[in-house]
Amino acid sequence: YTSAHKVIDHMGMMKRLPDEQLVIRYRHYSEKGYTELTVCAYDAYGMFYRTAGTIAAKNLNILRAQVYTSKNGVMIDTFHITDAEGKLIIYDEVWRTITADLREVLSGVRRPPEPRPSQFDRAVTATVPASVAFDNTVSDALTIIDIIAKDRVGLLYRITKCLYDLNLDIASAKIVTEGVRVMDSFYVSDLFRMKITDPERLAKIQDALMKVLV
């Protein structure tokens, strides 16, 4: 999913890790209407949900996200972000605050803030039936969870926090928003790096996720 240009760019961020421990960068794409936020760090359990929670607590909406963890334990998380109304935010003061908050949360200085209901949640009457499906055939080592739901501020945080509470480790993820519908795919394992195959546990995961989607 990543262009050669982006891969080279990400490798440059990874080279800075030994000295900086955490590399955060944002770039505005005015023609596309979003800001791209990239976080590069040594992976640890719960990093994705902490990042998503910090973004949601600022009343920002994640249009797309791509999460990747390399075999040597380095994560590259990329988010396409707008304000809650879908508009580009170009004020550097806002992004400096977000970057500072992310550094504190991801370094363990404080817990991620709990996002509050957004006063700008879209008043959209369209309904998007929520669904959770599993695939254990594509990957030899990971279970794929495919989620469809209606988009709203903080949804990605609620999903990733749910996976965290279920003791599921996210190896990679792809989040896409089309209109008011989000289509998320998470590649997960248990804390022993094993696929989730037990039918009872899969049912429990599905039930927990459906509760946060509605």
Side-chain angles (χ1 to χ4, degrees):
Y1 299 114
T2 307
S3 67
H5 173 76
K6 288 281 187 183
V7 170
I8 294 171
D9 190 33
H10 291 167
M11 289 176 67
M13 296 180 72
M14 293 171 69
K15 287 182 178 179
R16 294 166 54 187
L17 274 187
D19 295 325
E20 301 183 32
Q21 299 299 307
L22 177 63
V23 181
I24 303 173
R25 187 189 61 209
Y26 63 88
R27 288 177 177 169
H28 303 304
Y29 291 87
S30 301
E31 72 283 2
K32 297 180 180 179
Y34 61 73
T35 297
E36 182 177 87
L37 176 73
T38 305
V39 179
C40 179
Y42 294 109
D43 191 29
Y45 184 57
M47 294 286 273
F48 190 10
Y49 106 79
R50 291 185 177 95
T51 304
T54 304
I55 294 170
K58 296 297 182 182
N59 203 32
L60 302 177
N61 193 38
I62 298 172
L63 298 178
R64 285 177 171 78
Q66 184 172 318
V67 177
Y68 174 73
T69 303
S70 67
K71 291 182 179 180
N72 63 351
V74 174
M75 70 170 209
I76 297 281
D77 294 358
T78 304
F79 302 86
H80 293 175
I81 300 171
T82 67
D83 69 10
E85 295 181 301
K87 298 178 181 178
L88 177 70
I89 307 168
I90 59 173
Y91 303 108
D92 282 337
E93 182 178 348
V94 172
W95 290 102
R96 283 195 293 267
T97 300
I98 295 169
T99 299
D101 287 352
L102 279 172
R103 288 191 177 279
E104 290 189 354
V105 170
L106 296 181
S107 61
V109 173
R110 63 184 176 92
R111 294 176 59 83
E114 187 69 27
R116 293 171 293 180
S118 171
Q119 61 179 324
F120 297 110
D121 268 347
R122 304 178 199 177
V124 178
T125 57
T127 58
V128 178
S131 68
V132 177
F134 303 97
D135 190 323
N136 268 317
T137 63
V138 172
S139 171
D140 292 333
L142 300 167
T143 295
I144 303 172
I145 305 177
D146 291 316
I147 295 173
I148 296 177
K150 183 179 178 180
D151 185 32
R152 62 186 186 274
V153 171
L155 177 62
L156 183 59
Y157 164 75
R158 285 185 277 271
I159 293 172
T160 52
K161 178 62 164 57
C162 181
L163 296 176
Y164 174 84
D165 291 339
L166 290 166
N167 295 319
L168 297 176
D169 189 41
I170 302 171
S172 64
K174 185 173 177 65
I175 283 76
V176 177
T177 303
E178 290 185 353
V180 298
R181 183 174 68 165
V182 296
M183 296 173 289
D184 300 348
S185 294
F186 298 90
Y187 287 68
V188 306
S189 67
D190 64 19
L191 298 185
F192 297 100
R193 305 295 185 187
M194 301 293 290
K195 303 169 71 164
I196 316 301
T197 58
D198 179 63
E200 290 187 9
R201 189 172 186 194
L202 289 172
K204 179 181 178 180
I205 294 169
Q206 185 177 48
D207 180 63
L209 285 170
M210 288 298 293
K211 288 178 181 177
V212 305
L213 296 181
V214 297

